[in-house]
Amino acid sequence: MKVDFEIVSGGVQPEIARMVAKIIGTKVLSVQLKEFPNGERYARLEQSVRNKNLFIFCTCATSNSYSLNDALFEAFIIADAAKRASAKEISIVLPLLPYSRQDRKARTREPITAALVLSMLKQAGVERVITVDLHSTQIQAAFSGPFENLSARKLISNKIKEYIHNYQNEDFVVIAPDAGSVKNSSKFANELEIPVIFLPKSRDEANPEIITRQAVQEDLSDKNCIIIDDMIDTGGTIISAANMLKESGAKRIIVCATHGVFSDGAASKIRDSAIDKIIVTDSVPQKDSISTLKDKIEVITIAPLLADAIRSINNGDNAVDID
Ligand code: R5P
């Protein structure tokens, strides 16, 4: 493939950009990144990007040396540097769109921060956004330009098929752990040719970490339950679902999510829960704390998915976003 573009990366999870570049057969351009003593961030592209299409990889997640907001701010300034250095077209790769759950006014006097993030990216010079499994696809409307929302469904369902194959004489059922996950869980269930059950969830408005669930109507005795969600953050959603499923007789509980955020304390709560197995992607860096889950967790890389998308965009091929 003729490579008519350049790849650069922010400071969180640069290995993803390197893996993608390797698959494509190119290299990641270097960027000087630093933080001033007062907390301000600095970025400088170390080679020319004049008239080049540029893919900026900026994982926005809290890591050892970054807060999520620092990583996001770095995305703005790398894009601004590229625009001022006359890059031709600037695309940003944000596997997990930061603030993606703040996608609507759920209560009066709230911001819509996901929309604000997208408009700030546009203002910084970003012309295309590439994400993976957006929390809600409607938020694409807040960005006026090409938006490729890739799906990790194939990668994850291939992994689930291995489990189904290993326990081929047993029953499996897909669980949608909340209303927002019904559509996606149903697509998984269709693809895996197994039934889907919806498990309603309600969060306390003032204390969203408080989750309540109704009892499961179905008899799940001896069934393997596959919970599908877009994201594991505090673990509250999946742990409360898993407890309910176990009470209803479930045999094994396998949780699949694209984004394994595992905020502080989540890994140990999950380790001590009814969950038997977790499948996530490397859309965000895996924190040291998840080593406590090492026997339970499998991490699939999204590098080939991102490489394919960049190839298709570069070649002008058909739509790369799949929903
Ligand atoms: C909610 O609507 C999302 O799809 C996830 O279920 C949720 O964000 C997961 O967060 P937590 O792990 O904190 O429950």
Side-chain angles (χ1 to χ4, degrees), residues 179-242:
S181 65
V182 171
K183 197 171 156 199
N184 193 33
S185 300
S186 305
K187 286 181 183 169
F188 268 94
N190 272 345
E191 191 167 325
L192 298 166
E193 298 179 342
I194 55 180
V196 58
I197 292 174
F198 166 45
L199 221 57
K201 167 182 98 176
S202 44
R203 283 195 194 265
D204 187 275
E205 272 203 347
N207 293 305
E209 63 283 0
I210 301 174
I211 292 175
T212 43
R213 291 195 178 273
Q214 297 150 22
V216 184
Q217 301 303 317
E218 291 79 358
D219 177 16
L220 295 173
S221 307
D222 286 333
K223 290 206 168 34
N224 293 303
C225 295
I226 305 169
I227 303 177
I228 308 280
D229 210 350
D230 58 334
M231 184 189 306
I232 301 169
D233 185 355
T234 64
T237 299
I238 56 166
I239 293 172
S240 59

Side-chain angles (χ1 to χ4, degrees), residues 83 223 253:
K83 179 178 67 176
K223 290 206 168 34
I253 297 167

Side-chain angles (χ1 to χ4, degrees), residues 5-278:
F5 55 85
E6 300 290 354
I7 293 178
V8 297
S9 176
V12 178
Q13 216 188 16
E15 60 276 15
I16 279 278
R18 285 198 289 269
M19 283 194 271
V20 169
K22 191 166 176 210
I23 296 171
I24 293 171
T26 185
K27 289 226 154 24
V28 179
L29 287 191
S30 52
V31 187
Q32 188 192 352
L33 299 169
K34 64 179 177 184
E35 184 184 12
F36 287 107
N38 67 353
E40 290 176 0
R41 301 209 79 91
Y42 172 87
R44 176 176 176 265
L45 303 166
E46 296 200 304
Q47 282 128 290
S48 170
V49 292
R50 185 177 297 279
N51 279 331
K52 300 266 176 62
N53 290 334
L54 194 66
F55 290 88
I56 304 175
F57 281 65
C58 276
T59 299
C60 292
T62 304
S63 70
N64 291 342
S65 41
Y66 280 79
S67 69
L68 180 148
N69 289 320
D70 281 346
L72 176 58
F73 205 83
E74 195 169 82
F76 297 139
I77 64 174
I78 296 174
D80 187 70
K83 179 178 67 176
R84 292 176 195 278
S86 305
K88 195 156 126 201
E89 185 187 64
I90 302 171
S91 302
I92 194 145
V93 183
L94 297 167
L96 169 54
L97 178 71
Y99 292 94
S100 57
R101 288 173 292 180
Q102 296 189 38
D103 57 354
R104 66 196 191 292
K105 278 179 72 169
R107 303 172 77 192
T108 51
R109 301 182 296 283
E110 282 184 344
I112 305 182
T113 315
L116 178 65
V117 165
L118 290 169
S119 79
M120 288 167 77
L121 287 169
K122 185 82 186 176
Q123 180 64 31
V126 170
E127 288 160 278
R128 171 187 284 103
V129 178
I130 302 172
T131 54
V132 181
D133 290 331
L134 275 175
H135 177 67
S136 68
T137 52
Q138 295 91 318
I139 198 63
Q140 292 171 86
F143 186 79
S144 60
F147 201 124
E148 330 276 354
N149 179 39
L150 312 174
S151 171
R153 191 168 63 246
K154 229 11 333 92
L155 296 172
I156 295 175
S157 65
N158 284 345
K159 190 52 75 183
I160 301 173
K161 281 176 190 162
E162 289 174 19
Y163 283 92
I164 296 182
H165 181 77
N166 289 344
Y167 303 106
Q168 44 190 300
N169 298 322
E170 299 184 9
D171 285 337
F172 282 82
V173 60
V174 166
I175 306 291
D178 56 28
S181 65
V182 171
K183 197 171 156 199
N184 193 33
S185 300
S186 305
K187 286 181 183 169
F188 268 94
N190 272 345
E191 191 167 325
L192 298 166
E193 298 179 342
I194 55 180
V196 58
I197 292 174
F198 166 45
L199 221 57
K201 167 182 98 176
S202 44
R203 283 195 194 265
D204 187 275
E205 272 203 347
N207 293 305
E209 63 283 0
I210 301 174
I211 292 175
T212 43
R213 291 195 178 273
Q214 297 150 22
V216 184
Q217 301 303 317
E218 291 79 358
D219 177 16
L220 295 173
S221 307
D222 286 333
K223 290 206 168 34
N224 293 303
C225 295
I226 305 169
I227 303 177
I228 308 280
D229 210 350
D230 58 334
M231 184 189 306
I232 301 169
D233 185 355
T234 64
T237 299
I238 56 166
I239 293 172
S240 59
N243 290 342
M244 199 54 100
L245 296 167
K246 266 280 147 106
E247 278 170 30
S248 309
K251 185 171 187 181
R252 282 187 204 88
I253 297 167
I254 302 167
V255 174
C256 304
T258 304
H259 311 291
V261 176
F262 302 109
S263 292
D264 284 346
S268 48
K269 278 190 269 165
I270 292 170
R271 183 198 53 212
D272 300 335
S273 75
I275 297 165
D276 296 287
K277 194 88 206 168
I278 299 194

